[in-house]
Amino acid sequence: MTVTSSRWARRLALATGLSLSAFTLNPALAATLNIGVAGELASFDTSKVSGGVWESQVLMDVYEGLVKESPDGEILPGMATSWDVSEDGKTWTFHLREGAKWSDGEPVTAEDFVFGWQHLIDPVSASKYAYMLYPVVNAEEVNAGKKPAEALGVEATDEHTFVVHLKTSIPYFLELLTHYTAYPAPKHTWDEYGKDFVDLDHIVTNGAFTPTRWVSQSTITTVKNPEYYDADQVQLDGVRYHTIEDRNAGVSRFRAGELDIMREYSSSMYPLLKKELPDATHMAPYLGSYYYAFNQRDGHPTTDPRVREALNLAVRREVISQQILGGTFLPSLSLVPQGISHYEPQNVIFKDADGNDITHDMDARMARAKALLEDAGYGPDHPLKLRLRYNTTDEHKKVAVAVSAMWRPLGVEVELVNAEATVHYQTIAQGDFDIARAGWIADYNDAENYLALLRSGVGNNYGAYSNAEFDALYEKAANTMDADERQAIMEQAESLALQDNAVIPLLYYVSRNLVNPKLKGWEDNADDDHPSRWISFEE
């Protein structure tokens, strides 16, 4: 019988009467990894995923794409062992691994990739992430229902050869393939079960683990997939993902030995955790942006550019970063975070009525903000009333309360509304807010991944920002081969959106994880991706 690390820790604690926190530093004896994640997976059908970073953790463990990531984030061959690229960079030919199988023993074929990509881009699937495949020939037209799925620029030339035709060469294509939108889907189970192909009674996976049990809002249990081509090198018997939206509760469960890893702890706990669990407490640079989206749909006060600029002017990012969050986030004036390769983030520049730069003069910013609101018709007799939505965590609440207080001197009245993460993102995607908290963690290391959030009509463009000039720059960058020229165009696009006050950039993320020091195979990395297949328990 496998003894889990959590049971072992609790038994030992009860037997000795010692503090539970001490046992997170002791050797773990189990081969089942317990991970606390900040939200629940929406579906094992990758076209139905809501977009939470917690979902990536589960999906990267049960599925594998053409490439995979090493513990430090390096791209490695996955279902494809090699690939060829045409001279113009527009045709990629992937040679699939001989002997790769789904968990039911059926082979993983090039047709599974064709079907998986067609399924995701099919407008019937209504995938929020369909745009990730837009670099592929006809992808946008298929997703818009203007062409059939068969027109998508992918083909299986034989059982083990998958060919992708791109509209233009893109430098980040291999990085894009690490995302779950590029995973295959089992054509044979879809043919048998249709949309129920991911029900636990029918699901098959091609990754290191396969799911066996799902208790809603509680736990997903997986076991090692014996059909995985590298199963002999996978040392865990399985992984359990515990849905824990309350970060403080997650820390308590980690300290009690119930969890081996807690993905994201509350920023307010960092000083205490670093003092009491220094070897378990991880914080590292991370490609993530924390921002507020303005609803720019008709009927909301935030459609007025004067209102957006005024609210942006009044936010004190240094106060939020240092005094509210204890330095566990960095203040931000850009949507694209620092550290993105071949890109210089474009900071918003605040100006007074005469065009003078007042970015670093808070008194002048507040005076300008007040004047803008008065010009927009708001004042003591007609206060600006806003509804601000955020997903339920202690730190998001603190930020929302702090920002509301910063707007109060302008006479702004704010109603705070919170919901658990999945409901929150579903709600703001439907446009039910004035201002909404949002965060974006890089799916791949390229500025395009952030600028796409402001493209007209894209599912994750929560505020429905739309600017034809921005869209044109985005398209121009997508069709520019020269890396330096492409960078300049993307930087121009971000500057334009910031001049529009499309969003309020607030903070840059750092990754915060609690990791049992006795685990092997964990490495902090800029993507904060940690496939469980590399992790093992120290003997």
Side-chain angles (χ1 to χ4, degrees), residues 416-438:
L416 299 180
V417 181
N418 66 295
E420 58 93 7
T422 301
V423 173
H424 170 75
Y425 280 104
Q426 289 173 343
T427 302
I428 67 174
Q430 295 167 358
D432 186 10
F433 68 98
D434 294 316
I435 296 174
R437 191 211 85 84

Side-chain angles (χ1 to χ4, degrees), residues 58 94 245 265:
V58 181
F94 294 92
E245 298 229 2
Y265 54 82

Side-chain angles (χ1 to χ4, degrees), residues 119-188:
H119 174 64
L120 188 123
I121 206 75
D122 188 333
V124 174
S125 297
S127 170
K128 288 174 58 180
Y129 278 87
Y131 69 89
M132 294 279 287
L133 297 182
Y134 280 6
V136 180
V137 167
N138 290 331
E140 200 164 355
E141 291 82 354
V142 173
N143 192 230
K146 298 177 180 177
K147 291 187 176 181
E150 292 73 19
L152 184 67
V154 295
E155 59 179 321
T157 57
D158 62 44
E159 187 174 357
H160 293 100
T161 306
F162 176 61
V163 181
V164 181
H165 302 282
L166 301 177
K167 291 188 290 187
T168 187
S169 174
I170 53 175
Y172 57 90
F173 185 56
L174 272 184
E175 296 225 22
L176 188 150
L177 296 180
T178 63
H179 195 257
Y180 48 74
T181 48
Y183 289 167
K187 181 69 163 54
H188 65 289

Side-chain angles (χ1 to χ4, degrees), residues 290-295 300-302 311 315 320 385-392 395-407 412-419 424 427-428 432-438 504 506:
Y290 186 124
Y291 63 99
Y292 277 180
F294 286 121
N295 196 338
H300 295 268
T302 42
L311 296 173
V315 174
I320 297 172
K385 297 181 179 180
L386 298 170
R387 187 170 44 165
L388 192 163
R389 284 189 176 274
Y390 64 94
N391 47 312
T392 308
E395 64 194 21
H396 298 333
K397 180 179 180 180
K398 287 181 178 178
V399 173
V401 170
V403 171
S404 300
M406 293 170 187
W407 289 337
V412 179
E413 298 177 5
V414 180
E415 177 191 4
L416 299 180
V417 181
N418 66 295
H424 170 75
T427 302
I428 67 174
D432 186 10
F433 68 98
D434 294 316
I435 296 174
R437 191 211 85 84
I504 302 179
L506 287 173

Side-chain angles (χ1 to χ4, degrees), residues 197-457:
F197 78 118
V198 291
D199 286 357
L200 286 194
D201 290 339
H202 311 310
I203 190 169
V204 298
T205 63
N206 70 325
F209 302 93
T210 195
T212 57
R213 189 165 186 259
W214 186 345
V215 180
S216 180
Q217 294 297 328
S218 176
T219 310
I220 293 175
T221 301
T222 68
V223 298
K224 183 164 76 172
N225 175 9
E227 299 291 348
Y228 183 58
Y229 64 87
D230 213 15
D232 291 345
Q233 301 302 313
V234 177
Q235 298 191 37
L236 296 174
D237 287 341
V239 185
R240 290 192 198 93
Y241 310 89
H242 302 260
T243 301
I244 306 172
E245 298 229 2
D246 184 337
R247 271 62 165 177
N248 292 344
V251 170
S252 296
R253 293 179 64 175
F254 179 84
R255 298 182 68 139
E258 296 178 16
L259 302 175
D260 304 299
I261 296 170
M262 179 59 203
R263 299 297 305 268
E264 193 174 331
Y265 54 82
S266 174
S267 59
S268 63
M269 298 196 73
Y270 176 71
L272 178 65
L273 291 170
K274 193 61 181 173
K275 178 181 179 181
E276 294 190 353
L277 301 173
D279 295 333
T281 304
H282 292 238
M283 190 166 75
Y286 189 24
L287 298 179
S289 189
Y290 186 124
Y291 63 99
Y292 277 180
F294 286 121
N295 196 338
Q296 295 171 59
R297 299 169 178 85
D298 291 341
H300 295 268
T302 42
T303 57
D304 189 327
R306 295 167 296 184
V307 171
R308 299 199 302 270
E309 183 179 355
L311 296 173
N312 207 351
L313 279 159
V315 174
R316 301 169 187 256
R317 292 152 176 87
E318 287 285 349
V319 171
I320 297 172
S321 167
Q322 298 302 317
Q323 298 180 26
I324 307 299
L325 300 175
T328 53
F329 284 82
L330 300 175
S332 163
L333 286 169
S334 68
L335 177 63
V336 181
Q338 298 172 350
I340 289 288
S341 62
H342 216 85
Y343 191 84
E344 188 65 34
Q346 302 297 293
N347 290 342
V348 62
I349 299 174
F350 297 119
K351 296 181 179 179
D352 63 16
D354 298 322
N356 300 309
D357 186 347
I358 56 172
T359 304
H360 303 291
D361 184 343
M362 204 62 219
D363 290 340
R365 284 168 52 176
M366 291 301 288
R368 174 65 175 157
K370 189 173 183 180
L372 284 166
L373 286 186
E374 289 175 354
D375 190 46
Y378 296 103
D381 296 332
H382 179 49
L384 174 61
K385 297 181 179 180
L386 298 170
R387 187 170 44 165
L388 192 163
R389 284 189 176 274
Y390 64 94
N391 47 312
T392 308
T393 73
D394 182 53
E395 64 194 21
H396 298 333
K397 180 179 180 180
K398 287 181 178 178
V399 173
V401 170
V403 171
S404 300
M406 293 170 187
W407 289 337
R408 195 170 301 134
L410 302 175
V412 179
E413 298 177 5
V414 180
E415 177 191 4
L416 299 180
V417 181
N418 66 295
E420 58 93 7
T422 301
V423 173
H424 170 75
Y425 280 104
Q426 289 173 343
T427 302
I428 67 174
Q430 295 167 358
D432 186 10
F433 68 98
D434 294 316
I435 296 174
R437 191 211 85 84
W440 192 259
I441 307 303
D443 295 312
Y444 45 88
N445 190 343
D446 192 274
E448 183 274 346
N449 195 212
Y450 289 87
L451 298 180
L453 301 175
L454 299 178
R455 191 180 178 197
S456 298

Side-chain angles (χ1 to χ4, degrees), residues 88-107:
D88 63 4
K90 295 167 65 174
T91 301
W92 290 66
T93 302
F94 294 92
H95 306 287
L96 301 191
R97 188 179 296 277
E98 298 280 349
K101 297 178 180 178
W102 295 98
S103 53
D104 61 354
E106 291 295 313

